[in-house]
Amino acid sequence: DRSFPYATSPPDKLLGGLLPDGLDERSCRSRYESSMYRRNPGRRPSPLLIAKLRKHEELQRRCGPNTNAYNLAIEQLRAGKSAGSPECKYVVSISYRGLGNRILAAASAFLYAVLTERALLVDPSNKMDELFCEPFPGTTWLLPRDFPLASYTNFSIDTAESYGNMLRNKVLSADAPPAELPAFAYLHLDHDYGHEDKMFFCDDDQRLLSNVQWLLMRTDLYTVPGLFLITAFQEELDALFPERDAAFHHLARYLFYPTNHVWGLVTRYYRAYLARADLRVGIQVRNFDPRHAQSPHVLRQITSCVWREKVLPEVLATGEHAAPATPGAARSTAVLMTSLRPWYYERIKGMYWDHATATGEDVSVHQPSHEGQQQFGKRSHDGRAWAEMYLLSLCDVLVTSGWSTFGYVAQGLGGVAPWVLHKQPANLTAAPDPPCFRDVSMEPCFHAPHVYDCKMKRGLDTGEVLPHVRHCQDVSWGLKLV
Ligand code: GDP
């Protein structure tokens, strides 16, 4: 049946209770229309996760901007001291780096906020306000522009108020009474962070941080696997996510919906190029090394991956034809490619035009944009990137590039464990062999975990502690939930 929409029963608009009722449908069409565009309904959220989210939405309303509690907390921040037992505590997620990084960072900050009963406020810079719908009913998740710590977007590893520097300089100590704690701490959880910053992932440090009213978090990482290693959070995390490999899947489908402008980019493209195909295959090509922007070895890596793993049909030698078929009767596959450059797309599209497929299937190849290079702070660029991530997430099968957070977001939203192209070494002389592997789960990889035993105070391979927190295949020292 090729009718569209293909949902046979009414689509489950609220995703099994994951999404709250009562958000305005017109101002964020993607939230309610997405389920019509997805063939894969995704995993079901646990009743405890649903209950916790409803409770957290109530906290966001009670503590969010323009409430008494928020105004009091801002006064406390101006005064420079943490309140003894404040009504509300906060975590501010600083937005920086590429869109994939920003999404993983906001998801990580959100889960931390839920676990520690803090309101999450998202730094509106980098167009976060124009790309994403508001997730919480009756309040905003955007940090107001008049936030008093004006320089927070420049906080770095050197900032004196970072948790790591305050520990190192003994400004903070575990036995300090709450009234002597500073009003805020900056959590530098960036890929370049140091040992003291990483103490964030230890139980004693979480106890200390729980009395600091404002936490400002900068990360470009998916820190959720690290939260699973903190004993104090484990029981609750196990209850919220009985399927650990779906943690980001639920967080992403709860938090991230394209605004109407971006949703227009997604849906027009989907309906025109992808909707009628029998199968949609997404291929995300991310070349971290500019020398690989047009590499025959990388091209061979992609084709040998999709052929070997039977993701796409092989092509016959020129001149050969598979059995003639009535036009439109053959099974059809639409390939959605995303990349900053057009080279691989042009080659693969040409290949399926020049040659018949061995199976007689029709293969069409599409790539929405080729932006040339990563750009910062440009609205149309980020909007396209977000639309392409979302389009990938609507595909039935995914081939992604290892190391790329862009691909991680697509696989998590889509609920698909991808085929992953191995990252190419700098001096590439042949296609990597094997070209790709099937990922064990759809979860993103935490690229820079702490390798430390908080209790014994010594080094520890944190990929060997819990059965569901393992090393990643693409980034061998990274951690992922399985
Ligand atoms: P990562 O660097 O691969 O981990 O992914 P990020 O999303 O964090 O950063 C890469 C940025 O480069 C994206 O946010 C986009 O701005 C841009 N980019 C990379 N690949 C693509 C692509 O396939 N399509 C588009 N439109 N932009 C891309």
Side-chain angles (χ1 to χ4, degrees):
D1 176 18
R2 290 173 172 224
S3 61
F4 181 81
Y6 18 68
T8 45
S9 51
D12 176 14
K13 279 188 178 184
L14 299 180
L15 304 180
L18 183 73
L19 297 177
D21 226 342
L23 281 161
D24 179 35
E25 299 204 12
R26 271 166 314 169
S27 62
C28 182
R29 292 184 358 242
S30 61
R31 190 167 3 233
Y32 302 97
E33 294 177 9
S34 283
S35 52
M36 291 197 293
Y37 285 79
R38 284 192 193 287
R39 279 209 180 156
N40 174 5
R43 302 282 188 85
R44 283 196 86 75
S46 70
L48 276 167
L49 177 61
I50 294 171
K52 186 76 183 178
L53 290 172
R54 294 301 90 82
K55 213 168 137 225
H56 191 78
E57 286 153 13
E58 189 276 315
L59 182 150
Q60 293 280 152
R61 271 192 296 280
R62 186 162 44 80
C63 300
N66 304 316
T67 60
N68 281 340
Y70 178 83
N71 295 338
L72 276 173
I74 290 286
E75 271 173 41
Q76 209 70 48
L77 181 61
R78 286 214 171 89
K81 284 266 173 272
S82 267
S85 47
E87 191 186 337
C88 291
K89 294 182 281 182
Y90 298 84
V91 55
V92 175
S93 172
I94 300 175
S95 312
Y96 90 125
R97 298 201 70 207
L99 187 61
N101 295 103
R102 262 136 64 200
I103 289 176
L104 297 184
S108 304
F110 174 65
L111 182 57
Y112 181 67
V114 168
L115 292 170
T116 56
E117 292 175 357
R118 289 172 180 270
L120 168 73
L121 293 174
V122 167
D123 162 22
S125 47
N126 275 313
K127 309 281 177 274
M128 294 298 278
D129 48 348
E130 295 176 23
L131 296 168
F132 302 100
C133 298
E134 291 276 359
F136 310 125
T139 181
T140 177
W141 74 335
L142 296 171
L143 184 72
R145 301 262 175 193
D146 61 359
F147 186 63
L149 293 175
S151 61
Y152 74 94
T153 52
N154 297 325
F155 283 179
S156 72
I157 194 163
D158 299 322
T159 298
E161 294 90 352
S162 80
Y163 183 64
N165 287 332
M166 290 198 285
L167 276 188
R168 202 172 298 122
N169 300 329
K170 310 218 165 6
V171 178
L172 276 183
S173 71
D175 43 14
E180 283 173 27
L181 288 172
F184 80 93
Y186 163 58
L187 302 171
H188 185 76
L189 304 180
D190 199 31
H191 64 279
D192 68 353
Y193 59 166
H195 175 69
E196 280 87 1
D197 298 309
K198 291 181 186 171
M199 296 305 284
F200 172 81
F201 294 104
C202 292
D203 276 280
D204 289 347
D205 303 80
Q206 281 302 326
R207 236 182 327 275
L208 178 57
L209 286 168
S210 69
N211 290 313
V212 179
Q213 192 170 13
W214 287 89
L215 298 177
L216 285 87
M217 181 185 288
R218 179 193 295 281
T219 185
D220 53 357
L221 302 165
Y222 178 65
T223 60
V224 169
L227 299 179
F228 274 75
L229 291 167
I230 300 172
T231 333
F233 299 150
Q234 279 167 356
E235 199 176 321
E236 182 154 31
L237 284 170
D238 290 345
L240 295 176
F241 302 105
E243 300 177 331
R244 276 91 168 203
D245 64 328
F248 179 70
H249 176 67
H250 292 311
L251 294 171
R253 284 185 173 205
Y254 175 74
L255 285 176
F256 304 112
Y257 285 91
T259 44
N260 286 349
H261 168 73
V262 178
W263 187 236
L265 303 181
V266 173
T267 52
R268 282 189 293 278
Y269 201 90
Y270 187 91
R271 292 197 308 264
Y273 299 105
L274 306 174
R276 285 166 199 84
D278 297 305
L279 183 75
R280 278 149 289 273
V281 174
I283 304 182
Q284 181 237 354
V285 183
R286 179 85 166 104
N287 304 120
F288 289 100
D289 189 327
R291 280 170 294 182
H292 298 155
Q294 306 191 3
S295 158
H297 304 308
V298 176
L299 179 62
R300 196 154 321 114
Q301 180 185 12
I302 299 168
T303 54
S304 58
C305 173
V306 295
W307 290 339
R308 210 166 105 143
E309 307 303 348
K310 310 227 176 304
V311 170
L312 289 179
E314 295 198 36
V315 292
L316 299 173
T318 312
E320 283 184 58
H321 288 280
T326 328
R331 188 184 134 90
S332 70
T333 297
V335 181
L336 171 77
M337 293 192 64
T338 73
S339 175
L340 284 168
R341 295 181 187 276
W343 197 80
Y344 296 104
Y345 151 71
E346 284 164 358
R347 296 294 158 305
I348 292 172
K349 183 188 175 83
M351 204 177 287
Y352 281 102
W353 189 28
D354 284 339
H355 304 269
T357 58
T359 55
E361 280 171 75
D362 294 328
V363 176
S364 63
V365 184
H366 316 276
Q367 181 170 313
S369 77
H370 43 90
E371 293 278 285
Q373 57 195 327
Q374 183 170 357
Q375 295 162 36
F376 292 96
K378 208 173 118 194
R379 181 178 179 219
S380 66
H381 175 78
D382 286 345
R384 285 183 186 150
W386 182 209
E388 286 172 34
M389 267 181 213
Y390 214 90
L391 280 164
L392 283 171
S393 83
L394 301 177
C395 290
D396 308 304
V397 182
L398 281 179
V399 179
T400 59
S401 294
W403 286 72
S404 172
T405 61
F406 194 100
Y408 292 165
V409 172
Q411 75 202 35
L413 277 173
V416 174
W419 296 97
V420 185
L421 298 165
H422 286 283
K423 192 178 179 195
Q424 305 87 16
N427 56 344
L428 197 61
T429 51
D433 183 27
C436 61
F437 61 88
R438 185 68 182 265
D439 211 333
V440 290
S441 82
M442 60 168 127
E443 275 284 303
C445 178
F446 176 18
H447 285 181
H450 203 185
V451 279
Y452 189 68
D453 183 333
C454 298
K455 279 205 194 76
M456 306 306 288
K457 301 195 187 335
R458 62 180 181 217
L460 173 73
D461 182 351
T462 38
E464 298 291 330
V465 178
L466 294 173
H468 51 273
V469 181
R470 318 289 332 168
H471 283 298
C472 318
Q473 285 157 283
D474 58 337
V475 180
S476 58
W477 56 85
L479 294 181
K480 75 184 282 166
L481 297 168
V482 297

